[in-house]
Amino acid sequence: MTVTLLPMAEPESTVCCAPLTRETIEPEQADLLARKLKALADPTRLRLVSMVAASDGEEACVCDLIDPVGLSQPTVSHHLKILMEAGFLTRSKRGTWAYYKLVPGALGQLSQLLDVTASR
Amino acid sequence: MTVTLLPMAEPESTVCCAPLTRETIEPEQADLLARKLKALADPTRLRLVSMVAASDGEEACVCDLIDPVGLSQPTVSHHLKILMEAGFLTRSKRGTWAYYKLVPGALGQLSQLLDVTASR
């Protein structure tokens, strides 16, 4: 059996079932959803996700993300790590630079959980 | 000119324009969205919003919210206040108790901003 090191990185399987407004959320589901929201609830991280999502193939080099947010590379990398651990981004290294890619469905799934009008 | 005391309480007018994944979010919009997400990014507050949303007329008495979350009334009221200040709930007092009502569109709007597939 494989040990999952990043349990938050599986958007398809970890959050499930009930959109927030259809029934009382279970405490465990609330914990998980809160962790995901917390990872996004930062202006810099929102801008980073937005920039990655707006890039070709929904993927961006960390080298292109540093200037726009106006922070140091270690700080940007720290924010990207939080987004990665929460399952919003994946990381791959090519040559000198790390590339961050949007996890398909991760934002959409969160969105659906929050949506009053989401059909089940 | 009217001074807006709770700028977060106007979901229709304060967050606008670009879903998160369509273009780079503006810093001001990122700040506002982060504040809203922060207000929701707590397991107890998610459960409270969920319970209010699942109630008749999307409104619940604080007296019915205390037992399910297993916290003291002051703590529950504190969480409800944060949700109110972020524009997710409104409060009205009837007799002894306060009633909290879901702000129509507040969750849906947040959801749309996060949704990759939202059409503009």
Side-chain angles (χ1 to χ4, degrees):
Chain A
M1 188 188 250
T2 310
V3 176
T4 304
L5 292 173
L6 297 171
M8 301 291 288
E10 297 177 346
E12 299 309 325
S13 60
T14 47
V15 181
C16 76
C17 314
L20 187 56
T21 54
R22 295 303 169 112
E23 60 185 43
T24 301
I25 199 171
E26 293 297 323
E28 297 74 23
Q29 195 188 10
D31 286 348
L32 183 69
L33 186 51
R35 283 165 68 195
K36 285 190 173 275
L37 290 171
K38 238 173 233 162
L40 271 190
D42 174 276
T44 301
R45 291 200 287 277
L46 283 169
R47 292 180 66 199
L48 289 169
V49 166
S50 167
M51 283 187 270
V52 170
S55 304
D56 277 353
E58 298 185 334
E59 186 177 55
C61 175
V62 65
C63 56
D64 293 323
L65 299 172
I66 295 164
D67 274 359
V69 295
L71 297 169
S72 70
Q73 193 192 325
T75 302
V76 172
S77 293
H78 170 73
H79 283 302
L80 289 166
K81 190 176 173 224
I82 290 171
L83 289 167
M84 216 171 54
E85 287 173 351
F88 294 111
L89 300 178
T90 52
R91 178 182 184 274
S92 60
K93 203 146 184 208
R94 287 178 234 147
T96 315
W97 296 106
Y99 288 75
Y100 290 85
K101 193 174 165 64
L102 199 67
V103 173
L107 282 177
Q109 190 193 40
L110 194 63
S111 163
Q112 211 175 352
L113 277 167
L114 292 176
D115 194 357
V116 184
T117 59
S119 58
R120 298 182 68 181
Chain B
M1 188 188 250
T2 311
V3 176
T4 305
L5 291 174
L6 297 171
M8 301 292 289
E10 298 177 347
E12 299 309 324
S13 60
T14 47
V15 181
C16 77
C17 312
L20 188 56
T21 54
R22 295 303 168 110
E23 60 186 42
T24 301
I25 199 171
E26 293 297 323
E28 298 74 24
Q29 195 187 10
D31 285 348
L32 183 69
L33 186 51
R35 283 165 67 196
K36 284 189 174 277
L37 290 170
K38 238 173 234 163
L40 271 190
D42 175 276
T44 300
R45 292 200 287 276
L46 283 169
R47 292 180 66 199
L48 288 169
V49 166
S50 167
M51 281 187 271
V52 171
S55 303
D56 278 352
E58 297 185 335
E59 186 176 54
C61 175
V62 66
C63 57
D64 293 324
L65 299 171
I66 296 164
D67 274 1
V69 295
L71 298 168
S72 70
Q73 193 193 324
T75 303
V76 171
S77 293
H78 170 73
H79 283 302
L80 289 166
K81 190 174 174 228
I82 291 171
L83 289 167
M84 217 171 54
E85 286 173 350
F88 293 111
L89 300 178
T90 52
R91 178 182 184 273
S92 59
K93 204 147 182 206
R94 287 179 235 147
T96 315
W97 296 106
Y99 289 75
Y100 291 86
K101 193 173 165 63
L102 199 66
V103 173
L107 283 177
Q109 189 192 42
L110 194 63
S111 161
Q112 210 176 352
L113 278 167
L114 292 175
D115 193 357
V116 184
T117 58
S119 58
R120 299 182 70 180

